[in-house]
Amino acid sequence: MDVTKGFELDSQIGVLTRMDSSIPSTVTITYTTGTPAEALQALTLLHEVGRKAVDEVTFCVGDENGLLATPTGRFTATDTPTNQLYVHATFDFEDAANETIRELGILMGTEVADSCPPGQRYFVPSDLKNPGILLVLENTVPLIRTAATREAFSFVITL
């Protein structure tokens, strides 16, 4: 915990406590997150935790009422090829449990080691024979995975 000028900050749970009663009860706090910009020339993830095989890939079109929701908008799936691909993956409970995710990527051409069992959907770096090619990189605020949640990630790639 940090104690700075009458406050105690517990960054693990996100609580700021006033320690000095002479400080007004209404305080304005500004802060900057430490999420770096993505490097356009990046070929790999900087701090790879693991890889989750995608659950769904489909062509899509922008549609404000679409059922496919991403941070960049809503889309509708289509059987007609378009220049937009919807990619979705959901972590199982045990995937990357107790790890901190700071970057997300979409890679193609990844080859897993022959020792990986058929049906395995989550891979740590030592499970990879060929890491593949990084198509999309997104840095994110730190996300602490737990075995009690199933995070889902959705992207639309415009080709």
Side-chain angles (χ1 to χ4, degrees):
M1 294 194 197
D2 295 326
V3 177
T4 307
K5 299 184 182 180
F7 291 94
E8 181 177 78
L9 172 64
D10 186 331
S11 60
Q12 293 296 315
I13 60 173
V15 173
L16 181 68
T17 305
R18 182 174 54 144
M19 303 304 289
D20 181 347
S21 62
S22 67
I23 297 173
S25 59
T26 302
V27 177
T28 301
I29 299 172
T30 59
Y31 64 93
T32 304
T33 61
T35 306
E38 294 82 6
L40 295 176
Q41 71 279 12
L43 300 175
T44 63
L45 298 173
L46 294 176
H47 306 285
E48 183 167 351
V49 171
R51 297 184 186 201
K52 175 69 180 173
V54 296
D55 300 313
E56 181 180 2
V57 177
T58 188
F59 290 110
C60 64
V61 293
D63 178 355
E64 65 184 36
N65 298 313
L67 298 177
L68 306 176
T70 73
T72 58
R74 299 184 79 80
F75 300 83
T76 295
T78 178
D79 292 330
T80 305
T82 69
N83 69 331
Q84 294 181 307
L85 279 178
Y86 172 78
V87 180
H88 178 85
T90 301
F91 278 62
D92 279 335
F93 294 108
E94 67 279 358
D95 295 343
N98 302 314
E99 295 283 353
T100 301
I101 297 172
R102 290 183 169 82
E103 55 191 349
L104 305 170
I106 297 177
L107 296 103
M108 76 174 212
T110 298
E111 295 177 63
V112 299
D114 297 332
S115 59
C116 293
Q120 182 174 334
R121 310 267 306 145
Y122 178 77
F123 306 92
V124 295
S126 61
D127 290 333
L128 305 179
K129 183 175 9 179
N130 175 356
I133 299 168
L134 182 65
L135 295 177
V136 174
L137 171 63
E138 179 181 315
N139 291 331
T140 185
V141 295
L143 168 66
I144 300 171
R145 287 276 304 124
T146 76
T149 59
R150 295 184 71 205
E151 275 80 22
F153 298 98
S154 299
F155 295 89
V156 168
I157 302 171
T158 301
L159 307 170

